[in-house]
Amino acid sequence: MPSHHYTPDNSTVHSEMARKTDVPSLYYGEPRKFDPTFRGPICNRSCTDLFCCVIFVIVILGYIALGTVAWLQGDPRKVIYPTDSYGQFCGQKGTPNAKKSTLFYFNILKCANPAVLINLQCPTTQMCVSKCPDKFSTYTDVQLQYQITAAPWDYYRQFCKPGFNNPTKPVAQVLRDEDCPSMIVPSRPFLQRCFPDFITLNGTLTVAKRTHFKDALDTARSVTELRDAANGITGLVDAKEVGMKIVEDYAASWNWILIGLVIALVVSLIFILLLRFTAGLLLWFTIIAVILVIAYGIWHCYLEFSLLRQQPGADVTIVDIGFQTDVMVYLQLSQTWFIFLVALGTIEASILIILIFLRRRVRVAIALLREGSKAVSYIMSTLFYPIITFLLLAVCSSYFAVTSVFLASSGDAIYKVMAAEPNCMYANKTCNPETFNKTNVSKECPGAQCTFAFYGGETPYHRYLFILQLSNLLIFLWLVNFTIALGQCTLAGAFASYYWARRKPQDIPPCPLFSSFSRAIRYHTGSLAFGALILAVVQMARIILEYLDSKLKGSNNVAARFVLCCLKCCFWCLERFVKFMNRNAYIMIAIYGKGFCMSARDAFCLLMRNVVRVAVLDRVTDFLLFLGKVLIAGSVGVIAFFFFTHKMPIFQEEVPTLHYYWVPLLTVIFGSYLIAHGFFSVYAMCVDTLFLCFCEDLERNDGSSEKPFLMSAGLHSILRKTDHH
């Protein structure tokens, strides 16, 4: 049977030998010598980075223990349902609040931040009510009206403490004891909490058509104070309504969304199969198609912009109209189409510049992808490995989310003294509501109450809940990166076994994907965990920096924000570099079976010795694959657009009635892109692996009969071109 490996002539050998003598080995290590016993990834192996493997297993067991303890200690109802001042859940069955599912705040002006309302406790009395108030009133007005009729009082007292029915009690004492709120304003429920119902009239923010009002003590109040106390609540309320409509749209169109994703799956498979036989034609078609589609988009945006610019009222800016749930409102603005025009023009110019200046390397990258398609065609099972990665990531994400919720809801109800007077020495001290009336606190601090503060405890577990949450996040990042590393090492091992087979496909081992997966788990769990931990620590640092940046927003400390911005930029670059090095280190692990540090060093030196070729591989092939993803997602998205906007006469009666057609449309486009990305990520890993194997092959062998190349003649001629460009 003829051999499929490539043996060049003497001139080629001498040119390759001459090329090797020019390698800057002083800086990037010596090229590898010929080893007749080397058989690629099938060689004898031993466990690598065993210490890190042991630590990783211990951490996983500890993570399971942490989740178990959180499950035993936590109660998700504490996060999901609101709690009144007595620590009782609103709407909980079997309690006096069974029919009172909404939380009402006596003085919402004390709640300066909506995050305080949703996550923590606001420093005012909170009661569970059956419905939010729908009219404006003060306790003073109700007390005066009570002398004439009891109807206003009967309505008002449902927002007072249960059992309180003394409308003649002096206003000052009522407010001191917080028997009733000083005023009620029209509100609407959101997240089972009553928030002021803001309405904009003629551009002015109002509540109950008022901009100013007085409370029970005749203190002047403005609607701006309510807005500041519940900043962003109006947007959240609108978001809830939009959310309900989106859920309804998903319920009405889920089957068509699924059909769209299946079409994307089929198109992606056809695209990959065609790459095997018509890689050059298909990729050039993809490039030209993307250019033409974007050009059409530019022309359409310019046409719409020109028409709207002549219409009155279309020159209103997006900032002026604010957030609107109807997307069509934005499409009536000339500014919207101008933004689209500039964005598409920038993208088109970028693609054309890349093609003009890198046209030779684009041809080389296309040929390299053609070679990669041969490897994929021999190991088709690799195309479906991303499904395993997705399932593992789903398990990690679900476990992290559940553990976070149970940790956040751990602990018992903690009550603290809420004093009406600012100089009370007992303020914010822990108290017991059952024995509070028997203490001297109420005598020394008139009006003080023992109210629910938060859920917590005094045990070491409760004191270190914040540390446990950070640990939960760090381990989650570690597991996610390990899952991705496992997939990369598995695919690299499978494609490396293809490359190092002397006769293709006869010498490719049976079940190369499963064999590679088994090797990665059995021998290299520690190395993969080591690389994943380094990346997880960098990502954790970036998350902390983002948190600090959000806290510093609005502050006047310019120097601190500048330093933080620089740190964020540095860590972003560091994360990108670590990802790149990890990916290549995993390939070297799959080939040679060495530890992480040694594999990372070998990969770095090998890449530096072939830095010209790296420039071709790293960006140009990624660019071509990205265009393929865009073409698949865009083509399926165009079909979905015509379908959901009733522009397909054949399916007019099948189209569901929707609130927002963009909901299923964006879902189909985003889902199609993810599906295409899953398939093309296998291609990207294949190309990276073949590239490193090619570089190793050049350094190990010289093409002679004693040391023949394992590459094909086509691959050799392809990558030799990069030396001349």
Side-chain angles (χ1 to χ4, degrees), residues 11 33 59 129 189 192 210 243 251 288 317 357 460 519 611 642 657 663 699 707 716 720:
S11 61
K33 297 180 180 179
V59 168
V129 296
Q192 293 184 265
R210 302 187 186 191
I288 296 172
T317 64
F357 287 96
R519 286 195 301 271
V611 65
F642 283 113
T657 303
V663 171
E699 295 187 353
K707 295 185 288 184
H716 183 268
R720 279 189 62 226

Side-chain angles (χ1 to χ4, degrees), residues 242 321 323-331 659-662:
V242 173
I321 66 172
F323 175 75
Q324 301 290 331
T325 57
D326 188 3
V327 180
M328 296 302 295
V329 174
Y330 297 104
L331 299 181
H659 298 287
Y660 312 116
Y661 72 86
W662 49 265

